[in-house]
Amino acid sequence: MPVSDDDLRFLQVAIDEARKGRAEGGIPIGAALVADGVVLGSGHNRRVQLGSAIRHGETDALEQAGRLPARAYRRSTMYTTLSPCAMCTGAMLLYNIPRVVIGENRTFMGEEDLLRSRGVEVLVIDSEECVAMMEELIDTEPVLWNEDIGEPD
């Protein structure tokens, strides 16, 4: 699948969110929910900042979008800097989000196959910027990273 200018533009919204999260002392994963060329909500991983068990980038973007009618989700794309975990994948499947654009999946491979098996279009950009953000976190704060993905210390 070719990468469109819009895909790059909206992935940049997610990247900006990831950088914001890291600047706050959190994990650099960002996301943006977009429909019809409009950002409905964008967010970043806030587990550290909020002491939350579930506030990943994608779930934060959904929270920031607020309550929406089902038809809004069904014509949207979730842009995320990192391959989505099982929890975030489940949220996207629950709301029937038909398309996911992923910044990178080298540092973490999430549930892309599950998304595809349920008919979701998945596009991986393989952004060096996204990889670099995650490599920095994994190198400097491996315990925090393992906590975020549910790995033992």
Side-chain angles (χ1 to χ4, degrees), residues 58 80 82-86 88-89 92 100 102 108 110-112 115:
E58 298 90 339
T80 179
L82 186 64
S83 186
C85 71
C88 295
T89 293
M92 289 184 267
V100 179
I102 298 167
F108 177 79
E111 299 295 331
E112 295 173 30
L115 288 166

Side-chain angles (χ1 to χ4, degrees), residues 15-66:
I15 290 170
D16 293 344
E17 285 285 346
R19 292 202 177 285
K20 198 182 309 181
R22 188 67 180 132
E24 294 169 355
I27 295 168
I29 302 169
L33 182 67
V34 177
D36 304 321
V38 175
V39 176
L40 303 176
S42 65
H44 53 275
N45 186 304
R46 295 178 198 246
R47 291 187 69 249
V48 172
Q49 299 91 315
L50 299 176
S52 171
I54 62 169
R55 198 60 79 85
H56 283 191
E58 298 90 339
T59 57
D60 192 48
L62 289 166
E63 180 70 16
Q64 298 306 316

